[in-house]
Amino acid sequence: MLGTGLLVFREVLEAALIVSIVCAATRGVHGRGLWVGSGIGAGTLGAIVVAFFASAIAAAVSGIGQELFNAVILLAAVAMIGWHAIWMASHGRELAMEMKGVGSAVQAGSRPLSALLIVVAIAVLREGSEVVLFLYGQAASGASVLEIAGGITMGIVGGVAIGFLLYFGLLGIPMRHFFSATNWLMLLLAAGLASQAARFLIQADLLPPLGNRIWDSSAILSDHSLIGQALHTLIGYDARPAGMQLLFYAVTACAIALGMKLWGHASPGPGPRAHAAG
Amino acid sequence: MRKQIRTIIIRSMIVAKNSTSRGILALGMLLAANLAWAADYDAKLVIRDHKFDPVELTVPAGQKIKLLVDNQDATPEEFESNELNREKIVTGKGTITVFLGPLDAGRYPFFGDFHQETAQGVLIVK
């Protein structure tokens, strides 16, 4: 049960951390629970479908279907986060001011919440499909219902608990800096996901590694440790990155930072304004 | 290397267009194509009863490796290695290809994420 619980925990943790950041970034938005909930629901359904078609996906495009699928959905998540981060950079200050005003309702306006729904769904789908395949294997090799149910419960409770810890930790950031802080977190998250996408494209031999191992910091912080894994999800930490991964990381981080700078100060400021969605 | 071989193949095709020795050309192309593929070193791992066979797999250093993982169990497995920075699911009775390297000499442990107690192995690069 412990082994099952640990594997489920590791997968749930990755998704939970991403959901926590999304929740923090949508703080105070009316009805965001429904958006995040829908993302989790859609991701869970997607995970079951993907697990069911795992053989077909793996065999597609002469054996590199799995890598292509992962890379494409990771890059889709990167695009969604980038869009949202740039939108927030131009509207975040107003949002913070509205939230400080007593009793004022925050208007979500045309904020691209659907983009974040997709990010949540993708995070849950990727980790969830692994859990489904793993549990299917456990069940097929005769693990008892109790063992599987116990493992799922342990894993989900543990992963979600750490997600909540991160969320409440983030809520401690002073309101003045809150949205710029969550926005930078989103930027790092996107850069990390882009680096993961690059790794899949290298694994499929579609991109050259540009150096298989630029550094090796596994002695200091292993990818497999709890902190290493949390940082892997949050900021894209990799103990042994390939050159192409660093390139993807840097390009994504720079592109989003540039977008935030370019449009960040273009907002019309407080007062009547038109919410222009990207 | 591959590019050169490709150029040779294309040139010989142009030359051979008017000749009658197409059979010989076909044979030559087959050899050339084999040479081109030899640029990748092919290695194979089998998963049986949630264990890797061989447990220690030796491959050459400084060469790109095309690793085939053949899962003969009915249950899915995930081929994973922190040292090689790779992870890929292989379904029950399925096979996958994972590209590695070129690698420096050394030992690179790998494992089956879904059965870590038994599915452990090492890639030895010489």
Side-chain angles (χ1 to χ4, degrees):
Chain A
M1 196 195 291
L2 198 67
T4 307
L6 264 177
L7 190 131
V8 175
F9 168 73
R10 290 209 329 258
E11 307 296 342
V12 171
L13 175 68
E14 291 197 25
L17 292 176
I18 293 177
V19 173
S20 301
I21 292 186
V22 168
C23 283
T26 51
R27 180 181 190 180
V29 173
H30 183 69
R32 63 107 185 250
L34 193 67
W35 285 96
V36 173
S38 307
I40 295 174
T44 309
L45 275 179
I48 295 167
V49 173
V50 166
F52 190 76
F53 289 108
S55 295
I57 292 172
V61 207
S62 49
I64 55 166
Q66 202 181 116
E67 282 93 346
L68 270 182
F69 177 77
N70 275 302
V72 166
I73 62 169
L74 280 167
L75 291 176
V78 169
M80 294 297 134
I81 294 173
W83 174 22
H84 183 266
I86 292 169
W87 190 95
M88 279 300 284
S90 56
H91 298 81
R93 202 167 302 159
E94 306 149 36
L95 275 177
M97 280 193 296
E98 282 181 15
M99 284 184 71
K100 271 193 282 189
V102 183
S104 71
V106 175
Q107 297 212 322
S110 50
R111 184 174 176 175
L113 282 179
S114 51
L116 295 184
L117 183 147
I118 293 171
V119 172
V120 167
I122 286 174
V124 174
L125 182 152
R126 285 195 65 233
E127 310 305 333
S129 60
E130 279 193 32
V131 171
V132 173
L133 278 172
F134 169 69
L135 293 175
Y136 161 73
Q138 294 288 96
S141 13
S144 69
V145 176
L146 181 77
E147 192 180 325
I148 291 178
I152 295 176
T153 311
M154 272 168 55
I156 290 181
V157 168
V160 170
I162 294 188
F164 269 106
L165 270 178
L166 174 69
Y167 176 71
F168 287 111
L170 289 175
L171 290 191
I173 299 171
M175 190 45 81
R176 233 170 76 77
H177 305 296
F178 188 78
F179 286 118
S180 85
T182 55
N183 227 15
W184 283 103
L185 275 174
M186 294 283 264
L187 177 147
L188 293 174
L189 179 68
L193 296 177
S195 154
Q196 284 190 51
R199 200 188 51 151
F200 280 114
L201 294 172
I202 297 165
Q203 182 170 303
D205 200 28
L206 290 171
L207 285 179
L210 302 181
N212 260 308
R213 194 184 274 197
I214 299 299
W215 69 70
D216 186 349
S217 52
S218 58
I220 306 164
L221 184 59
S222 152
D223 277 330
H224 230 56
S225 66
L226 184 63
I227 295 173
Q229 212 192 336
L231 288 180
H232 173 74
T233 305
L234 292 175
I235 62 166
Y237 173 75
D238 198 320
R240 303 175 183 87
M244 184 61 83
Q245 286 183 266
L246 298 179
L247 187 66
F248 267 58
Y249 193 98
V251 167
T252 304
C254 290
I256 296 176
L258 192 72
M260 281 160 62
K261 276 269 175 293
L262 280 180
W263 287 290
H265 303 294
S267 59
R273 63 196 173 272
H275 282 288
Chain B
M1 169 87 171
R2 271 197 209 180
K3 236 180 202 169
Q4 284 171 337
I5 292 167
R6 242 172 249 158
T7 319
I8 293 166
I9 293 172
I10 292 163
R11 276 191 192 154
S12 49
M13 274 170 77
I14 296 164
V15 173
K17 237 182 182 172
N18 302 317
S19 81
T20 49
S21 55
R22 292 223 168 147
I24 296 166
L25 172 73
L27 194 74
M29 277 172 68
L30 210 74
L31 280 171
N34 267 330
L35 252 176
W37 276 112
D40 290 344
Y41 181 89
D42 286 301
K44 192 182 172 184
L45 271 177
V46 171
I47 300 171
R48 204 181 296 115
D49 300 328
H50 313 310
K51 283 179 202 143
F52 288 110
D53 180 29
V55 173
E56 294 194 340
L57 182 64
T58 308
V59 296
Q63 211 174 325
K64 197 149 86 184
I65 293 143
K66 191 180 170 194
L67 175 66
L68 192 79
V69 184
D70 177 6
N71 182 8
Q72 297 185 353
D73 290 338
T75 53
E77 185 56 272
E78 184 174 37
F79 173 83
E80 190 168 346
S81 169
N82 297 321
E83 279 72 12
L84 294 163
N85 209 352
R86 290 289 180 269
E87 58 177 320
K88 187 164 181 174
I89 285 178
V90 49
T91 52
K93 302 284 178 195
T95 52
I96 51 161
T97 307
V98 181
F99 288 91
L100 307 169
L103 296 163
D104 294 331
R107 289 171 64 86
Y108 300 81
F110 54 82
F111 57 93
D113 197 27
F114 293 171
H115 301 92
Q116 290 190 38
E117 328 76 58
T118 52
Q120 296 280 345
V122 189
L123 189 76
I124 296 170
V125 181
K126 280 185 183 165

